[in-house]
Amino acid sequence: MIEGIMIGLSTALTPTNLAFVMLGCLAGTFIGMLPGLGPMSAIALMISIAASLDPAAGIILMAAVYYGAIFGGSTSSILINAPGVASTVATSFDGYPMAKKGMAGKALAVAAYSSFSGGVIAALFLLVAAPFLASVSLSFHSTDYFALMVLGLVAVAAFAGKGDMIKALLMTVVGLMLSTVGTDQTQGVPRFTLGLIDLVDGISFLLLVMATFALSEALLAILKPKGDADRLKEKEASQNLGSMAVSRSEVKEMAPVVGRSSILGFLVGVLPGAGATIASFLAYGTEQRLAGPEKGKQFGKGSVRGLAAPETANNAAATGSFVPLLTLGIPGSGTTAIMLGALIGYGIQPGPRLYIDQPAVFWSVIVSMWIGNIVLLILNLPLIPYIARVLAVPSRFLLPLILFFSLIGVYFVSFNTFDIQLMVIFAVAAVVLRFLDFPMAPMILGFILGGMMEENLRRALLINNDSWSFLWERPLTLSILLIAAACLVAPMLTSYLRRLKRQVYDKAGEGG
C-alpha cells in the first residue's frame, strides 16, 4: 500500500495533474451551483477534454469535476432552495432556513467544512479499505438492495413532525406512484401515461424537484407578499450574509455528526446503485433521531446538525462510489457510469486487477481526492461572502431569476414544452400541499427510490420463484428489515413511554 501511495503522489503531484485537479474543482463547483446542471452534466462536458489527455490525467480531471459539482451543488440548495441534484435535496432542509434567517454565510461555511471533512475521511477509507470493501459489496444481492431501499424509505420518519407521520407516509406513497409512470423496464410497455407520448420516458427527477422546491417557493413568495416587518427582517438579514463564523459550541456539535455521517456515507456509496442521494437522506434521518426530542425539533428550521449531516454524507458517498467503479468495474451511479465509459475508452478495464495492472491510474485518483478537497476548501471559503450576496438581491429581481433558471434548466434537459407545462402543474399542486402542511421531502425520496426498489424486488422474486420467503431467509436482508422496523417503531414507542411516564407522575402527584 505504501508503494501504491508513493506512485499516486508522484503521478498526482506533477504540475500538469495538479493544474487539472484545480481546473476540475473550479469547473465542477460552478457547474454544480447552477440549478439544473449536476455532476452528470459536468462530467459529460469534460469528456471531450479528457479524451485528449493521458489516462491518469483524464480520470483525475473527471474525478475533480465530480466531487467539485457535488461540493458546489449545495449552494443553490442553500441560497434559493433549488436543489438541481438529488444528493443536495436534504441540504436544503436546513440550509435554506438558515439563509432566510440571515445566516447564509454560516450555512455555506458549514457546508464547505462538512463537505471537506466527508471527502477527506472517505478518501482515507478508500485508500485503506478499497480491495476489502469490493468483496463485501459483491456479497450484496438484489434482496439486500430491496431491504436497503425499505430502510431508506423509513427515513420519512425524519421529515415528520409531531403527529404528521401519516402525512409523511402518504407523500412517500405519492412519490412511489409517480416513479412508476413511464415505460415498464422489464416488459417494455407504457404504464400510467394517460395515452400521452411525452410520458413514455417517465417523469424527470429534475422536473419534479425544481417544481416542488424552487418553483413552488417562488409561487409561495408571490402569493404571500412580505409585510413591512418581514421586509425589515430581510434587510437586516442581508447585512449579515457574509458572516462565516462558526462558534466553538457549533464545532463541538458538528464533530460527531461529521464522523458518523462520513462512515455512513462512505459505506452507502460503496454499494453499487445506492449512491450519494440515499446516503444524504439516511444521514439526515439518523442524526435527527440521535439529536433527541429537543434538538430534533430544530431540524428543518436551520439546524447546524441537519445541514452538516447530508453535506458530509453525500461527499463521502461520492468518494465511496469509486470503490465499485475502480475495483469491480461496476458503476454505482449515472455519473460513475460515464466515467466507466471514459476508462474503457482509454483501453483500461476497471476491475480487481486495476490496481495491479494500472497502479498509476488507481492510486493517483485516490491521492488526487485529498488534494482536490483541500483545493475546494481553499477556492470556496474566500468566495462565500460574495456568493451569499445572491440573497441581498431584492425579491422583485430574485424571484423572476429563480423562475427563469428553474424553467430553462428543465427545458434544456429535454427541449420539450410539455415538461414546462407538467412542471407548472406540479408546482401548483406543491403549493396547495404546502399550505396543508404536507412535507415535500418524503415524496422526493419515494420518487428517487421507487425505480430501484421495484427493479430489485422483481429480480428478487424472479430468483426466488415468486416467493416472498427471501425477506426472512437471507440473514443480511432480515437484519436490514429489522433495523428499518426498529427505526419506524422507535419514535412511536418513545412517545408512548413518555405519555405513560407522565400519567404515572400525575397519579403519584394526586396520591400525594
Side-chain angles (χ1 to χ4, degrees):
M1 188 176 75
I2 301 298
E3 185 183 348
I5 294 172
M6 297 309 296
I7 292 171
L9 284 169
S10 63
T11 307
L13 290 177
T14 60
T16 306
N17 286 344
L18 277 174
F20 284 131
V21 170
M22 292 184 200
L23 174 65
C25 289
L26 193 63
T29 301
F30 281 103
I31 292 172
M33 284 179 186
L34 299 173
L37 293 177
M40 281 185 72
S41 304
I43 294 286
L45 289 170
M46 290 293 155
I47 281 182
S48 57
I49 299 172
S52 60
L53 306 174
D54 67 86
I59 299 302
I60 283 173
L61 173 64
M62 287 195 287
V65 170
Y66 181 24
Y67 47 78
I70 295 282
F71 196 101
S74 60
T75 304
S76 59
S77 295
I78 290 170
L79 295 183
I80 58 174
N81 200 27
V85 189
S87 58
T88 61
V89 170
T91 301
S92 67
F93 298 161
D94 285 280
Y96 185 62
M98 284 180 74
K100 287 205 294 185
K101 289 178 182 178
M103 296 188 291
K106 178 179 284 190
L108 290 168
V110 168
Y113 294 134
S114 302
S115 300
F116 170 76
S117 303
V120 168
I121 293 169
L124 180 63
F125 289 151
L126 179 61
L127 179 72
V128 174
F132 168 72
L133 289 172
S135 60
V136 171
S137 65
L138 276 177
S139 67
F140 266 70
H141 295 177
S142 53
T143 58
D144 307 318
Y145 281 115
F146 170 73
L148 192 67
M149 301 300 127
V150 173
L151 179 60
L153 289 177
V154 167
V156 295
F159 315 120
K162 191 174 180 181
D164 286 341
M165 178 72 79
I166 300 299
K167 286 183 177 179
L169 290 172
L170 282 172
M171 292 304 289
T172 306
V173 172
V174 171
L176 289 171
M177 290 167 66
L178 290 174
S179 72
T180 63
V181 174
T183 302
D184 187 321
Q185 296 301 315
T186 305
Q187 299 179 3
V189 294
R191 58 184 183 181
F192 310 123
T193 59
L194 305 176
L196 299 171
I197 193 76
D198 296 293
L199 287 176
V200 167
D201 290 331
I203 297 167
S204 160
F205 160 77
L206 182 64
L207 183 156
L208 186 63
V209 78
M210 295 298 276
T212 52
F213 284 88
L215 202 56
S216 69
E217 189 69 39
L219 292 175
L220 278 172
I222 294 167
L223 292 172
K224 295 164 67 176
K226 294 181 176 67
D228 292 335
D230 290 330
R231 287 197 190 95
L232 183 62
K233 284 180 183 177
E234 193 177 71
K235 187 177 179 181
E236 289 174 356
S238 68
Q239 293 169 357
N240 280 330
L241 293 178
S243 174
M244 300 187 301
V246 181
S247 68
R248 188 173 296 179
S249 62
E250 286 171 333
V251 171
K252 285 182 180 178
E253 193 175 5
M254 282 170 57
V257 173
V258 166
R260 287 190 295 264
S261 299
S262 295
I263 296 169
L264 176 63
F266 180 72
L267 291 175
V268 172
V270 166
L271 303 174
T277 305
I278 296 174
S280 62
F281 277 101
L282 281 177
Y284 187 87
T286 301
E287 289 305 324
Q288 186 174 23
R289 290 302 160 214
L290 291 175
E294 291 302 317
K295 290 189 176 179
K297 290 177 184 175
Q298 297 302 314
F299 276 60
K301 299 176 183 176
S303 166
V304 171
R305 283 189 178 197
L307 175 58
E311 270 302 289
T312 304
N314 64 28
N315 279 269
T319 303
S321 66
F322 280 84
V323 172
L325 174 68
L326 296 175
T327 59
L328 299 175
I330 299 172
S333 63
T335 310
T336 49
I338 295 173
M339 294 186 72
L340 175 63
L343 280 169
I344 293 170
Y346 283 125
I348 297 171
Q349 181 58 54
R353 291 191 58 82
L354 178 64
Y355 66 96
I356 297 170
D357 298 335
Q358 297 280 348
V361 174
F362 183 84
W363 293 107
S364 63
V365 169
I366 295 174
V367 171
S368 75
M369 287 179 180
W370 284 336
I371 301 167
N373 278 288
I374 295 168
V375 168
L376 281 171
L377 198 64
I378 294 169
L379 281 175
N380 282 276
L381 282 178
L383 294 175
I384 283 174
Y386 305 103
I387 296 169
R389 285 289 159 188
V390 168
L391 288 183
V393 177
S395 296
R396 64 181 181 276
F397 299 125
L398 187 59
L399 290 178
L401 283 173
I402 294 172
L403 291 169
F404 174 77
F405 280 118
S406 301
L407 295 170
I408 291 299
V410 169
Y411 180 73
F412 278 176
V413 171
S414 62
F415 294 97
N416 189 346
T417 53
F418 175 81
D419 284 355
I420 302 296
Q421 297 162 9
L422 190 61
M423 187 179 177
V424 172
I425 292 169
F426 279 134
V428 172
V431 168
V432 174
L433 288 168
R434 287 175 70 171
F435 271 124
L436 297 172
D437 292 326
F438 278 85
M440 293 294 106
M443 181 183 71
I444 298 297
L445 183 60
F447 182 80
I448 291 167
L449 298 185
M452 294 184 286
M453 192 174 180
E454 180 187 5
E455 182 183 341
N456 284 291
L457 176 59
R458 284 188 168 187
R459 196 179 296 133
L461 288 171
L462 185 65
I463 293 169
N464 289 273
N465 298 318
D466 291 333
S467 170
W468 289 84
S469 59
F470 69 86
L471 292 174
W472 56 84
E473 284 180 348
R474 268 183 65 79
L476 184 57
T477 304
L478 181 61
S479 300
I480 297 172
L481 289 174
L482 287 174
I483 293 169
C487 291
L488 197 60
V489 172
M492 294 185 283
L493 187 61
T494 305
S495 177
Y496 172 74
L497 290 173
R498 197 179 294 120
R499 197 161 54 247
L500 191 65
K501 187 177 179 181
R502 196 180 297 119
Q503 289 174 358
V504 170
Y505 279 132
D506 289 345
K507 286 181 181 178
E510 289 172 8

